């Protein structure tokens, strides 16, 4: 009998996993909390404002269409969008997924439970922004938000925009901003020219075919006269009720601001991202082990340390869309009962190898350096949900003598707000790590979130209802 495979996540990794599992003969359910499949990379215009040219601002839209066509055409694939998985348990018979399906807060919203033979987790990442004085002012956005607005709404988040942070993601964001009508006054990359040059100059053939994409972005910068300034960071945003200006400083190789190099830019929006944080909640709840740099640990078949649970895409390492597609294809194939030596999966195996090297180079060139805490002031908000400030955390650590995340959360409420430390968790952990090196063994981790998203008590109560369907 064919295997029943559930894929959580409908981005590049999840789409590729679902297709490859269907191709290998499995019955597949692909789940995503969004209205449509595509993930962070392929976003859609809302149906009520559909546009003739949905592919605009997208790269490789034809791959999305090909994957989507295959899944919608297959009688063995069920697509469940607007479905949020909020818990996962391991039982003696495998994993049990619990979620809700339907428009949020709609009367039609219904609890669901799924008990697959194999599970592929492809839950992606969200962008990480380091705090700086003024970063909670309206008009300061993550670069991911700017990209989402451009792709899914065709809206530029400001007229005079500064893009800053670290990583190649700043390049497509800049392109989307200028194409939706914004003037981008500069793009600031915190890493210094030497670091970036090493990345590009050492064995450029190992750029995994990304050179063409890079040339395209350089062309956009030149055509729109957008200055690209490495070795600089936004160290403060200013304004009364929204951002009106930012202070930018040169930073050293460790991202420590260099005094006397400050410069002010007048802007009405600033888009900042310093990389991505994997969405690990479901994997952690399932008991999957993580790597030292805190991604889901997988073997050659993309299987995690929990039997029957596979992982692909940004939760296993930040490598971009092409790595996500390759890993997804392998995970789906193996979850359906295939093997990594099967001929059909060899192109994906080769692509994964190349993309793995690419993502290691990305991290070496663009990874976060510890000097960023040098631009914090005591008044800077660390946790925006609870408005906990740097000074409060610093003084608490001095008073308690403990840099434990658990104890800091309880004494300052940092990380305890509505986002449950999704935004601030890694930043708080890094900051605590710099205040002292005696993190107690078995301390809390900001990745541990047994209930993944807010859920109504009614939905939990309805799980006890014998009419709630549990899909095998
Ligand atoms: C805001 C944002 C914008 C980005 N835009 C670009 C871009 O323009 N260009 C670029 O090169 N890279 C972009 N990236 C990087 C991008 O994430 C990856 O390159 C690529 O999309 C990774 O694919 P993935 O399948 O691993 O994850 P994703 O594309 O992130 O897909 C994961 C999917 O899982 C779903 N999901 C997660 N948890 C659950 C759950 N519990 N229940 C149900 N569904 C769930 C999410 O809704 C999402 O659709 C962006 C990242 C972010 C955060």
């Amino acid at each position: 009998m064919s295997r029943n495979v559930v894929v959580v996540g409908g981005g590049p990794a999840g789409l590729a996993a679902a297709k490859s599992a269907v191709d290998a003969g499995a019955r597949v359910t692909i789940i995503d909390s969004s209205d449509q499949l595509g993930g962070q990379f392929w976003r859609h215009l809302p149906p009520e404002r559909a546009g003739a040219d949905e592919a605009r601002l997208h790269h490789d839209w034809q791959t999305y269409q090909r994957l989507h066509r295959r899944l919608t055409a297959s009688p063995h694939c069920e697509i469940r969008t607007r479905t949020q998985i909020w818990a996962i348990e391991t039982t003696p018979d495998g994993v049990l997924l619990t979620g809700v399906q339907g428009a949020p807060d709609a009367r039609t919203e219904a609890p669901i439970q799924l008990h697959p033979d194999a599970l592929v987790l492809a839950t992606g990442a969200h962008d990480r922004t380091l705090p700086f004085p003024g970063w909670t002012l309206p008009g300061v956005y993550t670069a991911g938000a700017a990209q989402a607005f451009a792709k899914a709404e065709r809206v530029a988040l400001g007229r005079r925009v500064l893009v800053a942070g670290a990583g190649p993601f700043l390049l497509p964001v800049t392109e989307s901003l200028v194409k939706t009508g914004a003037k981008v006054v500069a793009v600031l990359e915190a890493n210094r020219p030497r670091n970036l040059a090493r990345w590009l100059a050492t064995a450029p053939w190992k750029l995994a075919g990304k050179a063409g994409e890079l040339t395209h972005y350089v062309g956009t910068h030149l055509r729109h006269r957008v200055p690209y300034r490495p070795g600089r960071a936004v160290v403060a945003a200013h304004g009364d009720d929204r951002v009106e200006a930012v202070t930018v400083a040169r930073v050293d190789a460790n991202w420590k601001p260099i005094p006397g190099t400050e410069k002010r830019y007048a802007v009405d929006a600033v888009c900042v991202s310093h990389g991505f944080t994997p969405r690990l909640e479901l994997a952690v709840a399932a008991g999957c082990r993580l790597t030292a740099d805190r991604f889901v640990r997988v073997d050659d078949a993309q299987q995690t340390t929990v039997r029957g649970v596979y992982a692909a895409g940004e939760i296993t390492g930040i490598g971009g869309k092409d790595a996500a597609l390759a890993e997804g294809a392998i995970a789906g194939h193996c979850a359906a009962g295939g093997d990594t030596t099967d001929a059909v999966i060899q192109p994906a195996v080769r692509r994964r190898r190349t993309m793995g090297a690419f993502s290691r180079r990305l991290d070496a060139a663009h990874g976060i350096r510890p000097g960023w805490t040098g631009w914090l002031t005591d008044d800077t908000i660390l946790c925006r949900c609870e408005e906990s400030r740097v000074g409060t955390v610093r003084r608490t650590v001095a008073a308690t003598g403990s840099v434990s995340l658990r104890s800091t959360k309880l004494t300052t409420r940092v990380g305890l707000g509505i986002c449950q430390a999704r935004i601030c968790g890694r930043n708080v952990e890094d900051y605590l790590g710099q205040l002292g090196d005696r993190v107690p063994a078995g301390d809390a981790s900001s990745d541990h979130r047994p209930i993944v998203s807010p859920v109504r008590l009614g939905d939990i109560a309805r799980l006890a209802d014998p009419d709630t369907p549990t899909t095998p």
Side-chain angles (χ1 to χ4, degrees), residues 9 13 32-33 39-41 84-85 124 147 151 169 276 314 321:
D32 201 289
S33 51
Q40 303 284 14
F41 195 78
Q84 171 80 46
I85 299 301
Q147 186 71 332
K151 280 185 174 175
F169 181 49
F276 295 100
E314 308 280 77
K321 174 259 306 172

Side-chain angles (χ1 to χ4, degrees), residues 4 190 252 262 286 290 349 413:
N4 158 34
D252 68 14
E262 295 83 0
L290 304 184
V349 170
R413 293 207 50 78

Side-chain angles (χ1 to χ4, degrees), residues 26 34 52 101 129 132-133 162 169 171 182 184 244 250 253-254 338 353 426 430:
S34 310
Q101 181 165 10
T129 298
F132 50 85
L162 187 106
F169 181 49
L171 304 179
V184 176
E244 288 162 10
R250 281 178 185 271
N254 259 334
R353 199 175 309 128
R426 296 275 171 113
D430 284 359

